[in-house]
Amino acid sequence: MQRAAYSVQRESSGAAFAEELRAVGEELLAEVKGGPATHDTALTLLAADALITLACEWVAETDPRALADLG
């Protein structure tokens, strides 16, 4: 299984930061869909869920009106 490191800069706008988090979460989700169901897959799925949830929370706290535009 290939692993990648990501760096997200919080200096960007709230929407841009959330979009970066969501994009990484979606990449992890695609990785899960493309492989067999294993313990590692479950951990990757949890990480994807956490990143997408964090993106939603970030937008909800910084610009609630933009929450519908996420994604």
Side-chain angles (χ1 to χ4, degrees):
M1 173 179 282
Q2 182 180 8
R3 295 283 178 204
Y6 296 96
S7 174
V8 179
Q9 300 298 318
R10 290 177 65 155
E11 292 86 28
S12 59
S13 72
F17 178 64
E19 184 61 31
E20 290 178 49
L21 290 173
R22 185 201 56 80
V24 174
E26 286 187 356
E27 286 179 29
L28 292 175
L29 190 57
E31 180 182 318
V32 167
K33 289 179 179 180
T38 66
H39 179 72
D40 285 341
T41 303
L43 295 176
T44 303
L45 184 58
L46 286 171
D49 177 62
L51 289 169
I52 293 170
T53 299
L54 181 59
C56 291
E57 289 176 350
W58 182 265
V59 172
E61 289 180 13
T62 60
D63 187 9
R65 290 173 285 171
L67 191 57
D69 297 331
L70 185 62

